[in-house]
Amino acid sequence: MAEIIQKDGTWTFDGDAVRIVPGRDKGVGLLRQTLGEVVVPLRALAGISHEPGRRAGRLRLRLRDGADPLLQVTGGRLPEASDPYRLTVDADRTGVAEYFVDEVRNALLLDQVDPGPADVYLLPGPPVPISVAAGDGTVAFDGDRVALDWNWTTEEAKSSGGPREFRVADLRAVEWSPSKGLENGWIRFTLAGAPAAPAPKYDPHTVELFGFKKDPLMALVAAAVAVRMPHPRGAAVSAEPAPALSKPPVPELAASAAEPVAPEDHDALLRRLRELGDLHQGGILTAEEFAAAKQAVLRRI
């Protein structure tokens, strides 16, 4: 196991996944604090790097294109303070950071992980329900329905129609764009069959963002919705989580892990992998039993 603990956060690698816990330092952005712990399975990684500096360096995880719904909807436009896959490393911890990089890279080589694009989401996205108030409205999402409500800053042309509500199944796209310079940002929901949308200021299916502190949180809403929509490369992701794996006696555990599971239900599969790892570390599963059960789950991702 490799671990690096900094004011910016803690990263732990157990050979199967990188577990990221944000720190409480003032430089940790609101998005990272709200998102909380992120578990990145090894097969979702394309690489890792350490960028040393005089006072502080950076650890960076590079995920496979299409593996993470948050990166999919933000398209590299997240502010650095909001990036969950970046860790500020003090200069005196450079050796630890380089060891961490070596451990992850060796595991990627041993497991022959394909660094190319993924055609299914390999991370479950932000938890739901989620609700964010920013810009000219509030977006709430319960895992099935999106609700938009307006505030006093909303243009009358948009607010006059009242609150909006629609299902994920009715969406063709969800998009997030940050504020930049004098240009406002937005989170836009495009309904299937809808005509070309007006400007965000007047679009009743768009919340306009004014560049304030909570704006990046709308990216979490967009990611939570996107992971429940068809993947951009064609694979659909289920919004219904499968039950978590219980802890039966060892002979039954491997059989339980081998039972058919919907391949797109990554929330349940990642929970299953974590529970198998806990059983192995607790001595309940032998190394052989753990490897067999893990492979049975991975085949269904």
Side-chain angles (χ1 to χ4, degrees):
M1 177 180 286
E3 183 176 63
I4 180 165
I5 302 173
Q6 295 289 276
K7 291 183 295 183
D8 199 29
T10 298
W11 287 15
T12 306
F13 178 60
D14 62 3
D16 295 309
V18 177
R19 188 179 301 270
I20 298 172
V21 179
R24 300 183 180 274
D25 187 64
K26 62 181 181 181
V28 178
L30 182 59
L31 182 147
R32 290 172 60 197
Q33 296 172 13
T34 304
L35 181 60
E37 181 179 298
V38 178
V39 178
V40 184
L42 187 66
R43 68 189 305 266
L45 291 178
I48 184 172
S49 63
H50 174 238
E51 305 159 4
R54 272 180 70 181
R55 293 188 176 183
R58 297 283 189 277
L59 264 180
R60 294 187 187 273
L61 280 184
R62 185 165 59 88
L63 275 63
R64 296 169 60 190
D65 289 344
D68 179 22
L70 178 61
L71 296 184
Q72 184 69 35
V73 297
T74 55
R77 294 168 295 172
L78 276 176
E80 189 155 293
S82 298
D83 185 353
Y85 305 118
R86 173 200 61 81
L87 181 72
T88 301
V89 179
D90 294 339
D92 62 356
R93 306 300 287 170
T94 295
V96 178
E98 291 177 348
Y99 171 75
F100 193 97
V101 168
D102 288 343
E103 288 293 292
V104 174
R105 286 179 176 170
N106 289 339
L108 289 170
L109 288 172
L110 288 172
D111 281 30
Q112 298 182 341
V113 174
D114 179 6
D119 57 8
V120 293
Y121 290 120
L122 302 177
L123 276 78
V128 293
I130 184 171
S131 178
V132 175
D136 68 353
T138 298
V139 183
F141 178 55
D142 63 4
D144 178 43
R145 293 184 177 275
V146 179
L148 307 183
D149 203 0
W150 314 115
N151 60 37
W152 66 273
T153 67
T154 311
E155 284 288 324
E156 186 178 355
K158 180 157 68 174
S159 63
S160 60
R164 301 283 172 153
E165 185 174 308
F166 41 86
R167 300 187 64 187
V168 172
D170 299 327
L171 288 176
R172 187 177 75 223
V174 55
E175 304 167 276
W176 174 85
S177 181
S179 301
K180 186 176 181 181
L182 298 177
E183 295 182 6
N184 290 337
W186 37 261
I187 178 171
R188 170 179 284 142
F189 301 93
T190 304
L191 299 179
K201 188 174 184 178
Y202 305 107
D203 184 2
H205 296 105
T206 299
V207 170
E208 189 177 30
L209 305 174
F210 304 144
F212 297 134
K213 183 178 180 181
K214 288 188 176 181
D215 280 14
L217 296 184
M218 284 296 187
L220 296 182
V221 178
V225 173
V227 78
R228 290 163 172 84
M229 296 176 62
H231 193 278
R233 291 184 175 83
V237 178
S238 171
E240 295 297 328
L245 180 68
S246 58
K247 295 186 179 181
V250 171
E252 298 174 20
L253 182 61
S256 175
E259 290 173 359
V261 177
E264 64 276 12
D265 197 344
H266 292 86
D267 298 71
L269 292 172
L270 292 176
R271 285 198 303 270
R272 203 168 271 207
L273 286 175
R274 288 196 293 270
E275 289 170 355
L276 288 172
D278 291 339
L279 293 175
H280 175 48
Q281 291 180 3
I284 298 174
L285 289 180
T286 66
E288 293 76 18
E289 290 167 339
F290 171 66
K294 183 179 77 169
Q295 288 303 316
V297 174
L298 289 177
R299 280 195 296 270
R300 283 154 179 81
I301 295 184

